[in-house]
Amino acid sequence: MKNSNIQLIDESGKRVDGRYPNEMRRLRIEAGVLKNADGSAYIELGNNKIIVAVYGPHESTPKYLAEPDRAVIRCRYSMAPFSVSDRKSPSPSRREVELSMVIRQALEPAVFLNEYPRTMIDVFIEVLEADGGTRTASITAAAVALADAGIAMRDLVSAIAIGKVGGRLVVDLNGLEDQYGEGDMPIAMMPQLNYVTLFQADGVFTPQEIEDAFRMVADPIKKIYREQKRALKKKYVDVVREVEKSE
Ligand code: UDP
């Protein structure tokens, strides 16, 4: 994240991709896209394309990682070598290791971990194409994949970033805005319970801007939550149709 002379927002308030400050990118989520996983989801947020697979709850492997009173979530965020314009090395980078932890921590509060003692839940995130905001899109998709796996949850987790370009707060930075903007604040929430499960800030913000960011994020979080629910309902309507057809 660095300041630059690139004009990221024009006089009329339009951004480099034609969006207004409070507009998020086009969002599409599909649940249950993988046959061999217990739960799965595919998300497109603008040019981001990410697939998430959930396995579990299953017996803990290795056994010493098991907790007697709860499930352990393991999360692996991975960027495909072809997901960015410069080929990314296939070996896990420090960034991927950190994002795996951050995403896990954003999801954990939503899962009834105590329902599944001594087990493990694996969350595999594969970023196929990246264009800014992959951590928040991954959290949104992973919540759908966990629900699709039938895992008991308090709420879904819906996530998006609020960024700053040209001195203004904007919703959902794309890759270019992320690279040349002044900062970004990824936020994940349990939308029904109204709890924040992730808040990060990369850049310099005033306390007022942080307050404004939470006001600004409310509407996009509602939209994301609606799309998550739509994707989950559609999966089950499709399953019922298939069962009816086979009868
Ligand atoms: N990116 C890249 N190469 C990398 C890592 C990231 O081109 O090795 C790009 C990618 O588009 C990503 C963006 O930089 O979405 C911003 O990355 P950041 O670490 O801020 O995480 P994100 O915004 O994706 O959650």
Side-chain angles (χ1 to χ4, degrees):
M1 192 76 57
K2 57 178 182 263
N3 291 307
S4 82
N5 295 324
I6 294 185
Q7 194 186 358
L8 292 172
I9 193 157
D10 70 17
E11 296 72 29
S12 68
K14 273 206 175 168
R15 295 155 66 181
V16 277
D17 55 9
R19 284 181 293 151
Y20 283 106
N22 59 358
E23 257 180 85
M24 58 184 273
R25 289 171 285 180
R26 191 186 69 89
L27 172 68
R28 186 172 77 86
I29 303 172
E30 211 177 317
V33 289
L34 299 172
K35 235 183 173 166
N36 294 334
D38 294 319
S40 58
Y42 172 70
I43 187 166
E44 283 184 9
L45 175 68
N47 298 326
N48 289 305
K49 295 188 172 73
I50 302 167
I51 197 154
V52 181
V54 167
Y55 291 88
H58 58 80
E59 203 178 318
S60 181
T61 45
K63 280 212 161 35
Y64 69 85
L65 288 180
E67 294 289 345
D69 57 341
R70 65 175 180 93
V72 170
I73 298 185
R74 273 195 311 199
C75 181
R76 190 190 75 188
Y77 164 100
S78 168
M79 271 183 137
F82 50 81
S83 65
V84 288
S85 48
D86 303 331
R87 175 187 171 276
K88 192 213 146 272
S89 156
S91 49
S93 62
R94 276 180 55 186
R95 174 180 172 276
E96 287 169 299
V97 172
E98 195 213 315
L99 287 198
S100 300
M101 182 193 74
V102 160
I103 293 167
R104 173 176 58 74
Q105 289 174 341
L107 295 167
E108 267 173 353
V111 178
F112 282 112
L113 296 172
N114 298 332
E115 295 279 316
Y116 311 104
R118 293 178 297 280
T119 67
M120 203 160 242
I121 298 168
D122 283 307
V123 180
F124 294 106
I125 297 162
E126 303 294 330
V127 179
L128 307 176
E129 254 176 55
D131 188 27
T134 59
R135 87 192 60 199
T136 48
S138 298
I139 292 166
T140 297
V144 172
L146 285 164
D148 181 47
I151 291 168
M153 294 170 79
R154 290 182 176 82
D155 199 349
L156 288 173
V157 185
S158 315
I160 196 87
I162 301 292
K164 191 157 111 177
V165 295
R168 286 185 69 166
L169 291 184
V170 299
V171 171
D172 183 26
L173 295 182
N174 66 27
L176 196 71
E177 292 175 318
D178 187 282
Q179 193 177 353
Y180 295 106
E182 291 132 64
D184 101 297
M185 292 180 264
I187 298 172
M189 297 192 65
M190 292 197 276
Q192 284 304 298
L193 299 170
N194 201 30
Y195 279 121
V196 175
T197 66
L198 169 79
F199 174 69
Q200 294 185 293
D202 175 15
V204 177
F205 299 96
T206 63
Q208 184 62 52
E209 281 171 336
I210 294 173
E211 228 177 86
D212 291 346
F214 276 101
R215 250 191 301 277
M216 205 168 182
V217 87
D219 189 50
I221 289 284
K222 268 189 215 141
K223 285 195 180 124
I224 295 163
Y225 182 56
R226 272 204 297 272
E227 175 62 8
Q228 288 173 303
K229 281 197 301 187
R230 189 204 60 75
L232 283 163
K233 278 187 196 150
K234 178 172 185 306
K235 151 90 190 279
Y236 287 98
V237 168
D238 290 350
V239 168
V240 169
R241 274 206 197 113
E242 270 183 35
V243 170
E244 281 171 353
K245 241 194 274 169
S246 66
E247 278 169 356

